[in-house]
């Protein structure tokens, strides 16, 4: 059973988290999104604003910060409900309270022992127009940015180019090295940066619901029907695809991931290492600097190969391909168990799965001890 990724949307009050969430819901294609809305206060305004889009797949924690739930048991119960196979959920998004502590929330999710769900990264939403005012009022902003896997600089339409450059420079200094910063206005980011969009299978007449949503979006934005899509969100990103029938060296591939450029927002696909004892297909998902591997058996007759999609902005596609080609390993059967340690650090292990101690890396490098291993 594949586990469901749980993505956290964090950010202070007014940064645009609900706007981002509503945009994701309205542009999800056929992807089934479970939503946990964590409002601060007894009136769950944010929950009501998204309820019409997700129906029974939404649960809400009102009356306080989600990160304050005792032992995380309340959150665990809601995640268990959403992960029930009857809902057929593909991804879960938690919209955290504007006063939540992202570090505690991330630790709760990493410590979750439900094998049906897994932590999928933390996205920090920043209000570009109120950046300095927010930092002055909430000094903890700097600490929150330090644990983000991806930063969305929202409301960029309200600042000029020079101010945006200055803020991006400040964010680069506050965030961990290499954390990507995605610019957005009105919360419009490409859902593919966070999760895989499934195609719509339902139709109305000859148009899919996705087509109808796209038409409604175009009309609401005042498009003149000339076919110009330069203003669309996806126009800002480039996609690079890599396929190799030859195995990749695990150490070289981890080195590639460690030095990936900040403009590379998303990596998805599967990798074939072919190291003895680790001949499975390793699914890889990266959102910003968040990274996770998941081993899966090959299907009957499925070719052993690596297939990756890299999505970014301002990245050099040919250079990325050259780096990946340099990761190829002509003799994977000569690989040792130790060569897989870098990969195994990022493999999610449900509590009941006892790993082979002979293949364990140093405990100090375990995901729970290393922020990059979240």
């Amino acid at each position: 059973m594949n586990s469901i990724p749980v993505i956290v949307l964090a950010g202070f009050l007014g940064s645009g988290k609900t706007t981002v969430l509503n945009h994701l819901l309205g542009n999800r294609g056929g992807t089934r999104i479970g939503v946990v809305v964590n409002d601060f206060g007894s009136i769950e305004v944010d929950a009501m604003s998204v309820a019409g889009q997700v129906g029974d797949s939404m649960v809400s924690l009102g009356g306080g910060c989600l990160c304050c739930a005792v032992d995380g048991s309340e959150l665990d119960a809601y995640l268990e409900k959403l992960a029930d196979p009857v809902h057929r959920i593909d991804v879960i998004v938690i919209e955290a309270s504007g006063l939540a502590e992202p570090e505690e929330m991330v630790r709760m999710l990493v410590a979750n022992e439900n094998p049906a769900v897994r932590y999928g990264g933390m996205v920090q939403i920043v209000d570009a127009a109120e950046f300095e005012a927010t930092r002055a009022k909430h000094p903890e902003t700097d600490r929150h940015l330090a644990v983000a896997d991806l930063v969305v600089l929202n409301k960029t339409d309200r600042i000029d180019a020079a101010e945006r450059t200055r803020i991006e420079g400040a964010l680069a200094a506050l965030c961990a090295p290499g954390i990507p910063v995605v610019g957005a206005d009105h919360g419009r980011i490409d859902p593919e940066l966070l999760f895989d969009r499934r195609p719509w299978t339902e139709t109305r007449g000859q148009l899919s619901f996705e087509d109808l949503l796209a038409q409604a979006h175009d009309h609401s934005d005042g498009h003149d029907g000339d076919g110009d899509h330069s203003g669309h969100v996806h126009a800002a990103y480039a996609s690079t695809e890599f396929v190799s029938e030859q195995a990749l060296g695990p150490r070289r591939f981890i080195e590639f991931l460690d030095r990936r450029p900040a403009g590379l927002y998303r990596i998805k696909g599967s990798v074939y290492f072919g190291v003895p004892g680790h001949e499975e297909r390793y699914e890889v998902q990266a959102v910003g600097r968040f990274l996770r591997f998941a081993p899966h058996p090959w299907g009957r007759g499925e070719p052993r190969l690596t297939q990756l999609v890299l999505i970014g902005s301002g990245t050099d596609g040919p250079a990325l391909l050259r780096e990946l080609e340099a990761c190829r390993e002509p003799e994977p059967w000569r690989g040792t168990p130790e060569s897989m340690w870098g990969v195994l650090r990022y493999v999610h292990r449900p509590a009941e799965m006892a790993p082979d101690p002979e293949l364990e890396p140093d405990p100090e490098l375990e995901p729970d001890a290393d922020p990059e291993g979240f």
Side-chain angles (χ1 to χ4, degrees), residues 6-9 17-18 21 25 33-39 44 46-47 50 54 56-62 66-67 74-83 89 91-97 105 109 117:
V6 181
I7 297 170
V8 177
L9 291 184
K17 298 186 302 298
T18 301
L21 176 57
L25 293 171
I33 304 177
V35 179
V36 176
V37 177
N38 170 219
D39 294 306
E44 299 172 357
D46 289 350
V50 299
V54 293
D56 292 337
S57 297
M58 187 190 76
V59 293
S60 182
L61 287 71
L66 177 150
C67 60
E74 189 177 9
L75 174 60
D76 290 347
Y78 284 125
L79 292 178
E80 184 176 357
K81 174 184 175 182
L82 286 173
I89 295 295
V91 61
I92 297 172
V93 178
I94 297 178
E95 182 192 345
S97 158
M105 191 175 301
L109 291 169
V117 297

Short mmCIF file of all heavy atoms in Angstrom, two decimals, residues 6-9 17-18 21 25 33-39 44 46-47 50 54 56-62 66-67 74-83 89 91-97 105 109 117:
data_model
loop_
_atom_site.label_atom_id
_atom_site.label_comp_id
_atom_site.label_asym_id
_atom_site.label_seq_id
_atom_site.Cartn_x
_atom_site.Cartn_y
_atom_site.Cartn_z
N VAL A 6 1.54 13.97 3.36
CA VAL A 6 0.86 15.03 4.11
C VAL A 6 1.71 16.30 4.00
O VAL A 6 2.84 16.35 4.49
CB VAL A 6 0.68 14.65 5.59
CG1 VAL A 6 -0.07 15.76 6.33
CG2 VAL A 6 -0.07 13.33 5.72
N ILE A 7 1.16 17.31 3.35
CA ILE A 7 1.87 18.57 3.11
C ILE A 7 1.32 19.64 4.03
O ILE A 7 0.10 19.79 4.16
CB ILE A 7 1.73 19.00 1.64
CG1 ILE A 7 2.39 17.94 0.73
CG2 ILE A 7 2.34 20.37 1.40
CD1 ILE A 7 2.10 18.14 -0.74
N VAL A 8 2.20 20.39 4.66
CA VAL A 8 1.80 21.45 5.58
C VAL A 8 1.93 22.80 4.89
O VAL A 8 2.99 23.14 4.36
CB VAL A 8 2.66 21.44 6.86
CG1 VAL A 8 2.28 22.60 7.77
CG2 VAL A 8 2.53 20.12 7.59
N LEU A 9 0.84 23.58 4.89
CA LEU A 9 0.88 24.98 4.46
C LEU A 9 0.94 25.84 5.71
O LEU A 9 0.00 25.85 6.51
CB LEU A 9 -0.37 25.34 3.65
CG LEU A 9 -0.55 24.72 2.26
CD1 LEU A 9 -1.80 25.29 1.61
CD2 LEU A 9 0.66 24.97 1.38
N LYS A 17 -2.56 31.75 3.01
CA LYS A 17 -2.60 30.28 3.02
C LYS A 17 -3.91 29.75 2.44
O LYS A 17 -3.90 28.81 1.63
CB LYS A 17 -2.41 29.75 4.45
CG LYS A 17 -1.09 30.09 5.09
CD LYS A 17 -0.91 29.42 6.43
CE LYS A 17 -2.01 29.79 7.41
NZ LYS A 17 -2.03 31.24 7.72
N THR A 18 -5.04 30.32 2.86
CA THR A 18 -6.33 29.84 2.36
C THR A 18 -6.45 30.10 0.87
O THR A 18 -7.01 29.28 0.14
CB THR A 18 -7.48 30.53 3.12
OG1 THR A 18 -7.36 30.24 4.50
CG2 THR A 18 -8.82 30.01 2.63
N LEU A 21 -4.51 27.41 -0.80
CA LEU A 21 -5.24 26.15 -0.69
C LEU A 21 -6.41 26.11 -1.67
O LEU A 21 -6.62 25.12 -2.37
CB LEU A 21 -5.74 25.95 0.73
CG LEU A 21 -6.61 24.71 0.98
CD1 LEU A 21 -5.88 23.44 0.59
CD2 LEU A 21 -7.04 24.65 2.45
N LEU A 25 -7.06 23.48 -4.73
CA LEU A 25 -8.29 22.70 -4.86
C LEU A 25 -8.97 22.94 -6.19
O LEU A 25 -9.55 22.03 -6.78
CB LEU A 25 -9.25 23.05 -3.72
CG LEU A 25 -8.81 22.64 -2.31
CD1 LEU A 25 -9.74 23.24 -1.26
CD2 LEU A 25 -8.77 21.12 -2.18
N ILE A 33 -7.91 15.41 -2.85
CA ILE A 33 -7.17 16.07 -1.79
C ILE A 33 -7.96 16.03 -0.50
O ILE A 33 -9.11 16.46 -0.45
CB ILE A 33 -6.87 17.54 -2.14
CG1 ILE A 33 -6.12 17.64 -3.48
CG2 ILE A 33 -6.06 18.21 -1.04
CD1 ILE A 33 -5.86 19.06 -3.92
N GLY A 34 -7.35 15.50 0.54
CA GLY A 34 -7.93 15.58 1.88
C GLY A 34 -7.40 16.83 2.54
O GLY A 34 -6.22 17.17 2.39
N VAL A 35 -8.24 17.56 3.24
CA VAL A 35 -7.85 18.84 3.83
C VAL A 35 -8.08 18.84 5.33
O VAL A 35 -9.15 18.44 5.80
CB VAL A 35 -8.64 20.00 3.19
CG1 VAL A 35 -8.22 21.33 3.82
CG2 VAL A 35 -8.41 20.04 1.68
N VAL A 36 -7.07 19.28 6.06
CA VAL A 36 -7.23 19.55 7.49
C VAL A 36 -7.01 21.05 7.66
O VAL A 36 -5.93 21.56 7.37
CB VAL A 36 -6.20 18.78 8.35
CG1 VAL A 36 -6.34 19.17 9.81
CG2 VAL A 36 -6.38 17.28 8.18
N VAL A 37 -8.05 21.77 8.08
CA VAL A 37 -7.95 23.21 8.29
C VAL A 37 -7.85 23.45 9.78
O VAL A 37 -8.73 23.06 10.54
CB VAL A 37 -9.18 23.94 7.70
CG1 VAL A 37 -9.08 25.43 8.01
CG2 VAL A 37 -9.25 23.72 6.20
N ASN A 38 -6.78 24.11 10.19
CA ASN A 38 -6.53 24.37 11.60
C ASN A 38 -6.73 25.85 11.87
O ASN A 38 -5.82 26.65 11.69
CB ASN A 38 -5.10 23.93 11.95
CG ASN A 38 -4.67 24.38 13.33
OD1 ASN A 38 -3.53 24.76 13.50
ND2 ASN A 38 -5.55 24.33 14.29
N ASP A 39 -7.94 26.25 12.25
CA ASP A 39 -8.22 27.65 12.52
C ASP A 39 -7.90 28.00 13.95
O ASP A 39 -8.05 27.18 14.85
CB ASP A 39 -9.70 27.96 12.27
CG ASP A 39 -10.08 27.82 10.82
OD1 ASP A 39 -9.44 28.44 9.97
OD2 ASP A 39 -11.01 27.05 10.53
N GLU A 44 -14.68 29.09 12.53
CA GLU A 44 -13.78 28.50 11.55
C GLU A 44 -14.07 29.06 10.17
O GLU A 44 -14.59 28.39 9.28
CB GLU A 44 -13.91 26.98 11.59
CG GLU A 44 -13.53 26.44 12.97
CD GLU A 44 -13.82 24.97 13.12
OE1 GLU A 44 -14.36 24.37 12.19
OE2 GLU A 44 -13.49 24.42 14.18
N ASP A 46 -11.98 30.00 7.76
CA ASP A 46 -11.20 29.36 6.70
C ASP A 46 -11.80 28.02 6.33
O ASP A 46 -11.86 27.66 5.16
CB ASP A 46 -9.75 29.17 7.14
CG ASP A 46 -8.99 30.49 7.22
OD1 ASP A 46 -9.55 31.50 6.76
OD2 ASP A 46 -7.88 30.50 7.74
N ALA A 47 -12.24 27.26 7.32
CA ALA A 47 -12.83 25.95 7.05
C ALA A 47 -14.06 26.09 6.17
O ALA A 47 -14.27 25.34 5.23
CB ALA A 47 -13.18 25.25 8.35
N VAL A 50 -13.46 26.66 2.32
CA VAL A 50 -13.03 25.57 1.45
C VAL A 50 -13.95 24.37 1.51
O VAL A 50 -13.84 23.45 0.71
CB VAL A 50 -11.59 25.09 1.80
CG1 VAL A 50 -10.60 26.21 1.63
CG2 VAL A 50 -11.53 24.50 3.19
N VAL A 54 -14.31 20.35 -0.97
CA VAL A 54 -13.76 19.05 -0.61
C VAL A 54 -14.77 18.12 0.06
O VAL A 54 -14.51 16.94 0.22
CB VAL A 54 -12.53 19.21 0.32
CG1 VAL A 54 -11.40 19.85 -0.42
CG2 VAL A 54 -12.88 20.00 1.56
N ASP A 56 -16.80 15.70 2.22
CA ASP A 56 -16.50 14.84 3.37
C ASP A 56 -15.00 14.61 3.57
O ASP A 56 -14.60 14.00 4.56
CB ASP A 56 -17.19 13.48 3.21
CG ASP A 56 -18.70 13.61 3.31
OD1 ASP A 56 -19.16 14.60 3.90
OD2 ASP A 56 -19.40 12.73 2.79
N SER A 57 -14.18 15.07 2.64
CA SER A 57 -12.75 14.84 2.76
C SER A 57 -12.06 15.91 3.59
O SER A 57 -10.85 15.97 3.65
CB SER A 57 -12.09 14.78 1.38
OG SER A 57 -12.59 13.69 0.65
N MET A 58 -12.84 16.79 4.24
CA MET A 58 -12.24 17.82 5.06
C MET A 58 -12.60 17.60 6.52
O MET A 58 -13.74 17.26 6.85
CB MET A 58 -12.72 19.21 4.65
CG MET A 58 -11.97 20.32 5.40
SD MET A 58 -12.71 21.95 5.15
CE MET A 58 -14.14 21.83 6.21
N VAL A 59 -11.63 17.77 7.39
CA VAL A 59 -11.87 17.79 8.82
C VAL A 59 -11.26 19.08 9.34
O VAL A 59 -10.37 19.65 8.73
CB VAL A 59 -11.24 16.58 9.54
CG1 VAL A 59 -11.93 15.30 9.12
CG2 VAL A 59 -9.75 16.49 9.26
N SER A 60 -11.74 19.57 10.45
CA SER A 60 -11.27 20.84 10.95
C SER A 60 -11.00 20.77 12.44
O SER A 60 -11.78 20.18 13.20
CB SER A 60 -12.29 21.93 10.66
OG SER A 60 -11.82 23.18 11.11
N LEU A 61 -9.89 21.36 12.87
CA LEU A 61 -9.54 21.43 14.28
C LEU A 61 -9.68 22.87 14.71
O LEU A 61 -8.86 23.71 14.37
CB LEU A 61 -8.09 20.97 14.51
CG LEU A 61 -7.77 19.48 14.39
CD1 LEU A 61 -7.84 19.03 12.94
CD2 LEU A 61 -6.39 19.20 14.94
N GLY A 62 -10.75 23.21 15.40
CA GLY A 62 -10.97 24.59 15.81
C GLY A 62 -10.58 24.80 17.26
O GLY A 62 -10.31 23.87 18.01
N LEU A 66 -3.19 23.56 16.00
CA LEU A 66 -3.08 22.12 15.81
C LEU A 66 -1.84 21.58 16.53
O LEU A 66 -1.87 20.50 17.08
CB LEU A 66 -3.02 21.83 14.31
CG LEU A 66 -2.84 20.39 13.84
CD1 LEU A 66 -3.53 20.22 12.49
CD2 LEU A 66 -1.37 20.05 13.67
N CYS A 67 -0.77 22.38 16.55
CA CYS A 67 0.47 21.90 17.15
C CYS A 67 0.35 21.74 18.66
O CYS A 67 1.22 21.18 19.31
CB CYS A 67 1.62 22.84 16.83
SG CYS A 67 1.38 24.53 17.41
N GLU A 74 -5.00 13.93 18.50
CA GLU A 74 -6.15 14.45 17.75
C GLU A 74 -5.84 14.50 16.26
O GLU A 74 -6.64 14.09 15.43
CB GLU A 74 -6.54 15.83 18.27
CG GLU A 74 -7.85 16.34 17.69
CD GLU A 74 -8.25 17.69 18.28
OE1 GLU A 74 -7.42 18.30 19.00
OE2 GLU A 74 -9.37 18.13 18.02
N LEU A 75 -4.66 14.99 15.93
CA LEU A 75 -4.26 15.04 14.54
C LEU A 75 -4.16 13.64 13.96
O LEU A 75 -4.61 13.37 12.84
CB LEU A 75 -2.90 15.74 14.40
CG LEU A 75 -2.29 15.74 13.00
CD1 LEU A 75 -3.20 16.44 12.00
CD2 LEU A 75 -0.91 16.37 13.01
N ASP A 76 -3.59 12.71 14.72
CA ASP A 76 -3.47 11.33 14.25
C ASP A 76 -4.83 10.75 13.90
O ASP A 76 -4.98 10.04 12.89
CB ASP A 76 -2.80 10.46 15.32
CG ASP A 76 -1.33 10.79 15.51
OD1 ASP A 76 -0.79 11.51 14.66
OD2 ASP A 76 -0.75 10.34 16.50
N ALA A 77 -5.84 11.07 14.72
CA ALA A 77 -7.17 10.54 14.48
C ALA A 77 -7.75 11.08 13.18
O ALA A 77 -8.38 10.35 12.40
CB ALA A 77 -8.09 10.88 15.65
N TYR A 78 -7.52 12.37 12.92
CA TYR A 78 -8.04 12.96 11.70
C TYR A 78 -7.32 12.41 10.47
O TYR A 78 -7.92 12.16 9.43
CB TYR A 78 -7.93 14.48 11.76
CG TYR A 78 -8.95 15.14 12.65
CD1 TYR A 78 -8.56 15.99 13.69
CD2 TYR A 78 -10.31 14.90 12.46
CE1 TYR A 78 -9.50 16.58 14.51
CE2 TYR A 78 -11.25 15.49 13.29
CZ TYR A 78 -10.85 16.33 14.31
OH TYR A 78 -11.78 16.91 15.12
N LEU A 79 -6.01 12.23 10.59
CA LEU A 79 -5.26 11.68 9.47
C LEU A 79 -5.70 10.24 9.19
O LEU A 79 -5.78 9.82 8.03
CB LEU A 79 -3.76 11.73 9.77
CG LEU A 79 -3.13 13.13 9.84
CD1 LEU A 79 -1.65 13.02 10.18
CD2 LEU A 79 -3.32 13.88 8.53
N GLU A 80 -5.96 9.49 10.25
CA GLU A 80 -6.43 8.12 10.08
C GLU A 80 -7.78 8.10 9.35
O GLU A 80 -8.01 7.26 8.48
CB GLU A 80 -6.56 7.44 11.44
CG GLU A 80 -6.97 5.97 11.35
CD GLU A 80 -6.99 5.28 12.69
OE1 GLU A 80 -6.64 5.93 13.71
OE2 GLU A 80 -7.36 4.09 12.74
N LYS A 81 -8.65 9.06 9.69
CA LYS A 81 -9.95 9.15 9.02
C LYS A 81 -9.78 9.43 7.53
O LYS A 81 -10.38 8.78 6.68
CB LYS A 81 -10.79 10.25 9.67
CG LYS A 81 -12.10 10.52 8.95
CD LYS A 81 -12.84 11.69 9.57
CE LYS A 81 -14.10 12.03 8.76
NZ LYS A 81 -14.82 13.21 9.32
N LEU A 82 -8.92 10.40 7.21
CA LEU A 82 -8.73 10.76 5.81
C LEU A 82 -8.03 9.66 5.03
O LEU A 82 -8.24 9.50 3.83
CB LEU A 82 -7.92 12.05 5.71
CG LEU A 82 -8.66 13.34 6.06
CD1 LEU A 82 -7.69 14.52 6.08
CD2 LEU A 82 -9.79 13.61 5.09
N ALA A 83 -7.16 8.90 5.70
CA ALA A 83 -6.40 7.84 5.03
C ALA A 83 -7.22 6.58 4.81
O ALA A 83 -6.74 5.64 4.15
CB ALA A 83 -5.15 7.50 5.84
N ILE A 89 -8.06 9.01 -1.08
CA ILE A 89 -7.31 10.26 -1.05
C ILE A 89 -5.92 10.07 -1.65
O ILE A 89 -5.25 9.07 -1.38
CB ILE A 89 -7.20 10.79 0.39
CG1 ILE A 89 -8.58 11.15 0.95
CG2 ILE A 89 -6.27 11.99 0.48
CD1 ILE A 89 -9.25 12.30 0.25
N VAL A 91 -3.55 12.88 -1.64
CA VAL A 91 -2.65 13.75 -0.89
C VAL A 91 -3.47 14.46 0.18
O VAL A 91 -4.67 14.72 0.00
CB VAL A 91 -1.95 14.78 -1.82
CG1 VAL A 91 -2.96 15.68 -2.51
CG2 VAL A 91 -0.92 15.61 -1.06
N ILE A 92 -2.85 14.74 1.32
CA ILE A 92 -3.50 15.48 2.40
C ILE A 92 -2.77 16.80 2.58
O ILE A 92 -1.54 16.83 2.65
CB ILE A 92 -3.50 14.68 3.71
CG1 ILE A 92 -4.31 13.39 3.57
CG2 ILE A 92 -4.05 15.53 4.86
CD1 ILE A 92 -4.21 12.45 4.76
N VAL A 93 -3.52 17.89 2.66
CA VAL A 93 -2.95 19.21 2.88
C VAL A 93 -3.46 19.75 4.21
O VAL A 93 -4.68 19.79 4.44
CB VAL A 93 -3.31 20.18 1.74
CG1 VAL A 93 -2.74 21.57 2.03
CG2 VAL A 93 -2.79 19.67 0.40
N ILE A 94 -2.54 20.14 5.08
CA ILE A 94 -2.91 20.76 6.35
C ILE A 94 -2.67 22.26 6.22
O ILE A 94 -1.54 22.70 5.98
CB ILE A 94 -2.06 20.22 7.52
CG1 ILE A 94 -2.32 18.72 7.72
CG2 ILE A 94 -2.38 20.98 8.80
CD1 ILE A 94 -1.46 18.12 8.83
N GLU A 95 -3.74 23.04 6.37
CA GLU A 95 -3.57 24.49 6.45
C GLU A 95 -3.43 24.84 7.91
O GLU A 95 -4.39 24.78 8.68
CB GLU A 95 -4.75 25.24 5.84
CG GLU A 95 -4.53 26.75 5.88
CD GLU A 95 -5.78 27.55 5.57
OE1 GLU A 95 -6.75 26.97 5.05
OE2 GLU A 95 -5.79 28.76 5.89
N ALA A 96 -2.22 25.16 8.32
CA ALA A 96 -1.94 25.41 9.73
C ALA A 96 -2.45 26.77 10.15
O ALA A 96 -2.55 27.70 9.35
CB ALA A 96 -0.43 25.33 9.98
N SER A 97 -2.76 26.91 11.41
CA SER A 97 -3.14 28.20 11.97
C SER A 97 -2.00 29.19 11.76
O SER A 97 -0.82 28.82 11.75
CB SER A 97 -3.41 28.05 13.48
OG SER A 97 -3.28 29.28 14.13
N MET A 105 4.73 20.90 14.51
CA MET A 105 3.83 20.20 13.60
C MET A 105 4.60 19.17 12.76
O MET A 105 4.16 18.03 12.57
CB MET A 105 3.13 21.20 12.68
CG MET A 105 2.00 20.63 11.88
SD MET A 105 1.16 21.92 10.97
CE MET A 105 0.66 22.98 12.31
N LEU A 109 4.23 14.99 12.66
CA LEU A 109 3.99 14.20 11.46
C LEU A 109 5.08 13.17 11.23
O LEU A 109 4.81 12.04 10.81
CB LEU A 109 3.86 15.13 10.24
CG LEU A 109 2.61 16.01 10.23
CD1 LEU A 109 2.70 17.07 9.14
CD2 LEU A 109 1.36 15.16 10.02
N VAL A 117 0.12 7.07 6.06
CA VAL A 117 0.45 8.47 5.77
C VAL A 117 1.93 8.71 6.02
O VAL A 117 2.57 8.00 6.78
CB VAL A 117 -0.39 9.45 6.64
CG1 VAL A 117 -1.87 9.31 6.33
CG2 VAL A 117 -0.13 9.23 8.12
#
